[in-house]
Amino acid sequence: MPSPSETASLEIALMRECLAAAAGNAASGRGGPFAALVVKAGAVIATGANEVTGTNDPTAHAEIQAIRAAGAAMHTFDLVGCELFASCEPCPMCLSAIYWARIDRVYFAATRFDAAGAGFDDARLYDEISRSQGDRSLPVVHLALPEAEGPFVAWSRNLARIPY
């Protein structure tokens, strides 16, 4: 078992690797200045870099890309036992994906406020989510239809379903 100082040294080395990838991605023009690593037992399982502008996919954030790559590499959607290193504090979308993936721990370097200073909306999105639904800038309308529970009924009746 590694000592606390060895663990800290590994974490710092992994974060520096992540930050170098983020800087490289920013310089390449493929996407924004963000990168992420999924790590298990000290080994990098998958990497991801922001590809939003390169793919015209607003969900192609570094953390999402790394989680997708880790799931494919490990042949599972359950990333328990993994840690994620992100060059910047994950946005609300990425943080939600991290929770869905059941990642054990997240390390990040820059903050949402650093990202806001560079023109990214992370801090604004965190603020929006903290507001009540009626106070958000995006109108969200609940259409309460009687058949809304139908998909859940079908799910519960499907004996071959894979719970997640």
Side-chain angles (χ1 to χ4, degrees), residues 100-156:
W100 278 115
R102 297 179 179 90
I103 289 173
D104 290 2
R105 177 174 293 161
V106 176
Y107 298 90
F108 66 91
T111 70
R112 67 180 91 161
F113 306 106
D114 297 326
F120 293 93
D121 282 346
D122 303 50
R124 183 187 67 80
L125 294 174
Y126 270 101
D127 181 56
E128 278 285 311
I129 287 174
S130 70
R131 297 171 187 253
S132 66
Q133 203 172 43
D135 291 333
R136 294 181 186 158
S137 63
L138 175 67
V140 177
V141 180
H142 177 208
L143 298 176
L145 301 176
E147 60 270 26
E149 291 186 29
F152 297 113
V153 171
W155 170 258
S156 65

Side-chain angles (χ1 to χ4, degrees), residues 51-139:
E51 297 180 41
V52 170
T53 59
T55 62
N56 295 314
D57 178 355
T59 68
H61 289 202
E63 298 91 336
I64 302 291
Q65 301 294 73
I67 289 168
R68 288 174 179 160
M74 296 174 61
H75 306 285
T76 183
F77 56 83
D78 186 344
L79 301 181
V80 166
C82 294
E83 297 176 324
L84 187 135
F85 286 76
S87 59
C88 187
E89 181 178 5
C91 75
M93 175 185 70
C94 293
L95 188 59
S96 295
I98 291 163
Y99 274 105
W100 278 115
R102 297 179 179 90
I103 289 173
D104 290 2
R105 177 174 293 161
V106 176
Y107 298 90
F108 66 91
T111 70
R112 67 180 91 161
F113 306 106
D114 297 326
F120 293 93
D121 282 346
D122 303 50
R124 183 187 67 80
L125 294 174
Y126 270 101
D127 181 56
E128 278 285 311
I129 287 174
S130 70
R131 297 171 187 253
S132 66
Q133 203 172 43
D135 291 333
R136 294 181 186 158
S137 63
L138 175 67

